[in-house]
Structures are given as structure tokens and as C-alpha cells.
């Protein structure tokens, strides 16, 4: 038993020594790996600093070179770089064009020079229906009626007659340019309730409303020239009557009489 106990103790000592040697080797490996990682990190940081410094020096040299080459009076080389698109696209250009941008300057005199019914007789059924619908909307628009009263002095009694005559005349004096413009800006839908109140309820989005405004502006311009030629006397009479019955600035009447000094007895 004594011998067996001695042998067991010796084996235990050998195992403990083996474990201690393994622990020491593992500690040495870990220390070496940590030192290697630290060295690599330091080297990487120094390389990055060097590269940043080189980049900065290169930028300074390029700027100085550009400033030296663009001296006053020296010919400049055109840039081959692609121009950058302005922020927001073409919104600024669209904003400055106004509601009737791109519209041709149609006039009633030019329309009357053409042969009567030369274009209207060659209209297709769909184009004719579109033009009639467009003129119907324009004719029964409350905004058009108000503008005709305030800007053209077309009375409420004269408006139906003059508008009916204008709609029939514009179809007869239609030319290719006006036909193409109106058909191109045709909206193609009815009002909100299917009635003629197309200005108040028109447009589902910016594009539809913009087309309505362009068509309305062109037709109103032609209508103004038409009534000034065919109903000039009635327009002048109504303008004078409206001017004489205007009571909004009566305090400006008879200024010389108001400046006279009077003595009440």
C-alpha cells in the first residue's frame, strides 16, 4: 500500500507540472498576440495619418496650380465636366413661365383672314365634339362672365347674345394652329357634377387646371377682340353708363365747387 501511494503521488505531481507548463505556454502566446495587435494598430494609424497629410498637400498644390493658371487676361480652357443639375429640377423655370406659357399669340384678325369653314369642314367627329365641349364650358363659366363684365364692359343682357355669336364664329374661322392648340390642351372630363360650372369645379391636379387656364385665356382674348369689333357701340354705352352711375368716389366730385368759401347768413 505504501508503494502504491507513492506511485500515485508521483503521477499526480507529473500531471500538475504538465498543467502548469501548458498554462505558462498559453500565457506566453496571449502576450505575444496582444503585442502584435498593438503594433499593427499603431502602424495602421500612422499610415492613415501619412496618407491624410499627402492628400491635403496634394489638394493645396492643385488649388495653387489652378489659381496660377487662371490669371487675368489669360485664355481659359473650357471645362469638360458634366454640368450639375440645379436643385429642384425645372421648378423655377416652370414657376416663371406663368399659366399660359407656350401659348401662341392668336388674334381674331388673323383668324378672319382665312377661308370660312375651311378647317371646320375637315374636322373629325371626335375633334368637333371636343371643341364644342370646350366652348360650352367657356360660355357658361361664371368667371368668364364676370371678366367680360368688369374688363370688357359686356352687360348681362349682351353677354348671352355675344357669346353665342362668338362660339359659332370661332368654329367657322378656325385655323390649324388654333385647332391643334385647343385639342392638345383639351381636358376631356366634365365638371364635378357634370354641369357647365367647369371653372369652379375643374381640374384634378395641377396639369388639368393648367390646361383649363390656358384654354380660357386664349378664348377670352379672342372673345374680347370679337366683341370690340362687332359690339363696340354697345360696349361704349355701357361703359359710360357704368362710369356715370359709379357712386364709390362721390367725395371727389366738383372739387372746385368744394374749394369755394361760402358765408352762411
Amino acid at each position: 500500500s505504501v508503494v502504491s501511494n507513492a506511485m500515485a503521488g508521483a503521477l499526480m505531481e507529473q500531471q500538475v507540472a504538465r498543467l502548469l507548463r501548458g498554462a505558462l505556454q498559453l500565457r506566453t502566446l496571449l502576450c505575444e498576440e496582444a503585442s502584435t495587435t498593438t503594433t499593427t494598430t499603431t502602424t495602421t494609424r500612422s499610415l492613415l495619418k501619412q496618407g491624410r497629410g499627402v492628400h491635403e498637400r496634394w489638394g493645396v498644390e492643385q488649388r495653387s496650380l489652378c489659381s496660377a493658371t487662371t490669371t487675368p487676361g489669360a485664355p481659359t480652357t473650357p471645362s469638360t465636366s458634366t454640368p450639375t443639375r440645379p436643385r429642384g429640377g425645372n421648378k423655377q423655370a416652370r414657376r416663371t413661365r406663368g399659366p399660359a406659357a407656350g401659348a401662341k399669340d392668336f388674334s381674331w384678325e388673323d383668324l378672319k383672314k382665312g377661308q370660312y369653314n375651311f378647317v371646320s369642314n375637315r374636322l373629325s367627329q371626335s375633334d368637333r365634339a371636343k371643341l364644342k365641349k370646350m366652348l360650352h364650358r367657356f360660355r357658361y363659366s361664371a368667371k368668364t362672365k364676370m371678366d367680360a363684365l368688369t374688363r370688357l364692359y359686356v352687360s348681362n343682357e349682351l353677354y348671352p347674345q355675344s357669346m353665342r355669336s362668338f362660339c359659332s364664329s370661332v368654329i367657322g374661322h378656325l385655323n390649324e394652329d388654333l385647332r391643334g392648340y385647343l385639342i392638345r390642351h383639351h381636358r376631356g372630363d366634365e365638371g364635378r357634377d357634370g354641369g357647365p360650372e367647369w371653372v369652379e369645379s375643374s381640374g384634378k391636379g395641377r396639369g388639368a387646371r393648367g390646361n383649363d387656364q390656358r384654354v380660357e385665356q386664349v378664348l377670352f382674348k379672342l372673345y374680347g377682340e370679337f366683341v370690340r369689333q362687332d359690339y363696340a357701340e354697345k360696349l361704349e354705352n355701357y361703359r359710360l353708363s357704368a362710369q356715370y352711375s359709379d357712386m364709390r368716389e362721390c367725395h371727389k366730385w366738383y372739387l372746385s365747387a368744394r374749394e369755394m368759401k361760402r358765408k352762411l347768413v
Side-chain angles (χ1 to χ4, degrees), residues 148 152 154 159 162-163 166 219-227:
L152 303 176
V154 179
Y159 181 79
S162 61
M163 185 58 72
F166 168 74
L219 291 179
F220 188 80
K221 179 179 180 297
L222 295 175
Y223 173 72
E225 297 177 1
F226 170 77
V227 294

Side-chain angles (χ1 to χ4, degrees), residues 86-116:
R87 188 175 182 179
N90 294 327
K91 292 182 179 180
Q92 185 66 25
R94 289 195 298 267
R95 192 179 299 114
T96 56
R97 281 200 294 263
K104 186 177 179 181
D105 189 13
F106 300 101
S107 65
W108 187 250
E109 288 293 336
D110 295 338
L111 294 180
K112 290 181 67 177
K113 291 178 182 178
Q115 185 178 352
Y116 192 76

Side-chain angles (χ1 to χ4, degrees), residues 13-38:
E13 289 178 358
Q14 292 178 0
Q15 292 179 357
V16 170
R18 191 181 298 111
L19 290 174
L20 290 175
R21 285 195 299 271
L24 289 175
Q25 292 177 358
L26 180 62
R27 180 180 178 182
T28 304
L29 291 175
L30 291 176
C31 292
E32 291 178 356
E33 185 177 359
S35 63
T36 304
T37 305
T38 306

Side-chain angles (χ1 to χ4, degrees), residues 1-260:
S1 61
V2 175
V3 174
S4 61
N5 290 334
M7 294 177 62
L11 291 174
M12 183 68 69
E13 289 178 358
Q14 292 178 0
Q15 292 179 357
V16 170
R18 191 181 298 111
L19 290 174
L20 290 175
R21 285 195 299 271
L24 289 175
Q25 292 177 358
L26 180 62
R27 180 180 178 182
T28 304
L29 291 175
L30 291 176
C31 292
E32 291 178 356
E33 185 177 359
S35 63
T36 304
T37 305
T38 306
T39 305
T40 304
T41 305
T42 306
T43 305
T44 304
R45 289 178 179 176
S46 62
L47 290 175
L48 289 175
K49 289 181 179 179
Q50 293 177 4
R52 190 179 299 111
V54 171
H55 181 71
E56 291 177 356
R57 288 195 299 272
W58 180 81
V60 171
E61 293 176 358
Q62 291 295 323
R63 286 193 295 270
S64 62
L65 180 61
C66 293
S67 61
T69 54
T70 56
T71 56
T76 58
T77 305
S79 176
T80 58
S81 60
T82 305
T84 57
R85 185 177 181 180
R87 188 175 182 179
N90 294 327
K91 292 182 179 180
Q92 185 66 25
R94 289 195 298 267
R95 192 179 299 114
T96 56
R97 281 200 294 263
K104 186 177 179 181
D105 189 13
F106 300 101
S107 65
W108 187 250
E109 288 293 336
D110 295 338
L111 294 180
K112 290 181 67 177
K113 291 178 182 178
Q115 185 178 352
Y116 192 76
N117 283 336
F118 180 77
V119 177
S120 60
N121 289 336
R122 293 167 174 77
L123 288 175
S124 62
Q125 187 176 0
S126 61
D127 290 350
R128 187 178 295 273
K130 291 177 182 179
L131 290 175
K132 287 185 177 181
K133 185 185 297 185
M134 208 175 301
L135 290 173
H136 179 79
R137 289 172 175 173
F138 176 73
R139 177 180 177 181
Y140 290 100
S141 168
K143 183 178 183 301
T144 303
K145 186 175 182 179
M146 182 59 64
D147 289 343
L149 178 63
T150 56
R151 296 166 57 182
L152 303 176
Y153 295 101
V154 179
S155 62
N156 294 330
E157 292 79 11
L158 182 61
Y159 181 79
Q161 176 186 355
S162 61
M163 185 58 72
R164 181 170 56 252
S165 177
F166 168 74
C167 291
S168 61
S169 298
V170 75
I171 291 292
H173 292 289
L174 195 67
N175 58 14
E176 286 293 340
D177 293 337
L178 182 59
R179 182 201 65 80
Y181 184 83
L182 295 178
I183 295 299
R184 188 168 62 252
H185 292 84
H186 175 63
R187 183 159 52 91
D189 56 353
E190 295 292 341
R192 180 171 48 190
D193 53 356
E197 292 80 5
W198 70 289
V199 170
E200 290 77 13
S201 61
S202 65
K204 296 180 180 179
R206 185 182 300 176
R209 181 57 182 166
N211 288 340
D212 291 342
Q213 290 178 351
R214 292 182 179 94
V215 170
E216 180 184 358
Q217 182 171 357
V218 170
L219 291 179
F220 188 80
K221 179 179 180 297
L222 295 175
Y223 173 72
E225 297 177 1
F226 170 77
V227 294
R228 288 191 185 99
Q229 290 182 5
D230 294 6
Y231 302 94
E233 185 178 356
K234 294 183 179 181
L235 295 182
E236 182 64 20
N237 293 336
Y238 185 78
R239 187 188 68 81
L240 293 176
S241 63
Q243 181 180 357
Y244 294 153
S245 60
D246 188 5
M247 305 290 292
R248 292 175 298 180
E249 297 181 353
C250 57
H251 59 281
K252 296 182 180 180
W253 296 353
Y254 309 111
L255 296 180
S256 57
R258 291 174 182 270
E259 292 176 357
M260 294 176 59

